[in-house]
Amino acid sequence: MEFPDLGEHCSEGTCKLLDFLPLKCDACGEIFCKDHIAYSRHRCSSAYKKDVQVPICPVCNSPVPVKKGETADVVVGAHMDKGCRPDSARQKQKIFMHKCFRPGCKKKEMMKLVCDQCRQNFCLQHRHPLDHECPGQNRSISKAGCAAQMRLLESRQKALKCQLSHNR
């Protein structure tokens, strides 16, 4: 059983495929199948209106505006001849810049990890108050901090028991 009212035929002269999910070109407004919707595949006469690309200068990494009728290579070449300079600020931009405040640790992190108690920045390894011998430990601690302290005490007790049993 056929459904003659469903779908539309592709506007490409060599295709004419009956497509049940046809696509409309946003430049010329014609209907195409999935294989011919690209501007280059159906030789769209209005592609220049929509297919606008801005070239990036390979030296300074900035966009170079191109007017209609100009070739991108020529415009970028003229831009480079006018005194385009490498953008050293972009090249030397540091990612890992937040230094750990624990004495002896030289690690740096991408983002700040500030201790809630002493308000200093630490690396992932030393971010908890117990790991960096926090001077601000006299303040009240959260439930998570209390749980961490309990785990630390339990692990120390287990280590002591192991040492005592090995010494016997």
Side-chain angles (χ1 to χ4, degrees), residues 112-126:
K112 284 188 173 186
L113 298 167
V114 179
C115 175
D116 292 335
Q117 296 176 9
C118 64
R119 304 282 185 240
Q120 290 185 337
N121 187 55
F122 295 96
C123 66
L124 283 171
Q125 186 178 358
H126 301 119

Side-chain angles (χ1 to χ4, degrees), residues 83-108:
C84 169
R85 294 191 182 132
D87 187 6
S88 60
R90 285 185 187 172
Q91 291 174 353
K92 293 182 181 178
Q93 189 177 32
K94 293 182 181 179
I95 296 174
F96 296 95
M97 51 191 266
H98 302 287
K99 187 179 182 310
C100 181
F101 276 90
R102 173 137 189 228
C105 183
K106 296 181 181 180
K107 290 184 182 176
K108 295 180 181 180

Side-chain angles (χ1 to χ4, degrees), residues 1 30 36 46 67-68 87 90 117 141 148-150 155 160:
M1 180 151 91
E30 301 224 13
H36 295 107
S46 303
K67 296 176 184 167
K68 287 184 182 177
D87 187 6
R90 285 185 187 172
Q117 296 176 9
I141 56 174
Q149 282 183 339
M150 292 302 292
S155 67
L160 276 172

Side-chain angles (χ1 to χ4, degrees), residues 4-53:
D5 297 338
L6 293 178
E8 293 188 45
H9 289 278
C10 180
S11 297
E12 177 63 31
T14 59
C15 182
K16 298 294 184 191
L17 175 75
L18 178 61
D19 196 345
F20 294 107
L21 294 172
L23 303 165
K24 184 177 181 181
C25 177
D26 63 343
C28 64
E30 301 224 13
I31 303 296
F32 296 99
C33 64
K34 66 176 178 66
D35 295 329
H36 295 107
I37 190 63
Y39 299 137
S40 61
R41 299 286 292 184
H42 69 267
R43 294 177 211 85
C44 186
S45 59
S46 303
Y48 69 92
K49 296 177 186 175
K50 297 285 183 170
D51 196 17
V52 179
Q53 296 179 1

Side-chain angles (χ1 to χ4, degrees), residues 132-147:
H132 64 261
E133 293 140 13
C134 186
Q137 282 186 340
N138 55 3
R139 294 189 201 167
S140 62
I141 56 174
S142 67
K143 288 181 182 179
C146 185

